[in-house]
Amino acid sequence: VQLQASGGGLVQTGGSLRLSCAASGNIRSINGMGWHRQAPGKQREAVASFTSDGPTNYVDSVKGRFTIVRDNANKMMYLQMSSLKPEDTAVYYCNGDITAIGASRRNYWGQGTLVTVSS
């Protein structure tokens, strides 16, 4: 199982960006997915996540500005980010709570994609 994140880049304050996360491999089920971020000198924090049978949750600092978009059929997840602020600058990671065929359920991480918001 692999998760591939993409879509990061440089954007001005107030701008928008869409991150993508593609899950691939011998996947039996995706139980949930989410996005984390890690800013320079700070700990990684959860940004947004959902479970297969539950609501989508957002950290307070991004509520109303970020939206997770799910494409279950294609095993894709997007993070639509708008009204970006310099404090959103971070490396963004996608993760998935996935059950692979012939394996136990576990959490997988994609590589990070850098988002830089200029002031």
Side-chain angles (χ1 to χ4, degrees), residues 1-5 20-30 32-33 71-77 94-101 103 106-111:
V1 173
Q2 289 187 328
L3 296 179
Q4 181 75 34
S20 301
C21 178
S24 62
N26 295 325
I27 296 172
R28 178 180 299 280
S29 62
I30 297 177
M33 297 185 77
D71 181 352
N72 296 329
N74 293 304
K75 299 183 178 64
M76 294 287 297
M77 172 183 66
C94 65
N95 72 286
D97 176 3
I98 295 172
T99 303
I101 296 172
R106 53 160 283 197
N107 197 33
Y108 293 83
W109 289 91
Q111 90 294 357

Side-chain angles (χ1 to χ4, degrees), residues 61-104:
S61 60
V62 308
K63 284 181 180 177
R65 301 188 299 120
F66 290 11
T67 302
I68 279 185
V69 178
R70 304 159 61 173
D71 181 352
N72 296 329
N74 293 304
K75 299 183 178 64
M76 294 287 297
M77 172 183 66
Y78 305 92
L79 185 66
Q80 183 65 48
M81 305 184 294
S82 60
S83 302
L84 283 162
K85 305 174 182 180
E87 50 264 43
D88 295 318
T89 294
V91 177
Y92 284 71
Y93 300 89
C94 65
N95 72 286
D97 176 3
I98 295 172
T99 303
I101 296 172
S104 301

Side-chain angles (χ1 to χ4, degrees), residues 5-78:
S6 61
L10 175 64
V11 63
Q12 291 186 332
T13 295
S16 298
L17 209 57
R18 189 179 78 160
L19 305 182
S20 301
C21 178
S24 62
N26 295 325
I27 296 172
R28 178 180 299 280
S29 62
I30 297 177
N31 310 298
M33 297 185 77
W35 292 92
H36 286 65
R37 67 185 179 186
Q38 186 165 18
K42 294 188 177 182
Q43 290 188 331
R44 189 176 296 191
E45 68 167 348
V47 175
S49 65
F50 66 88
T51 58
S52 58
D53 58 356
T56 302
N57 297 301
Y58 300 91
V59 68
D60 286 347
S61 60
V62 308
K63 284 181 180 177
R65 301 188 299 120
F66 290 11
T67 302
I68 279 185
V69 178
R70 304 159 61 173
D71 181 352
N72 296 329
N74 293 304
K75 299 183 178 64
M76 294 287 297
M77 172 183 66
Y78 305 92

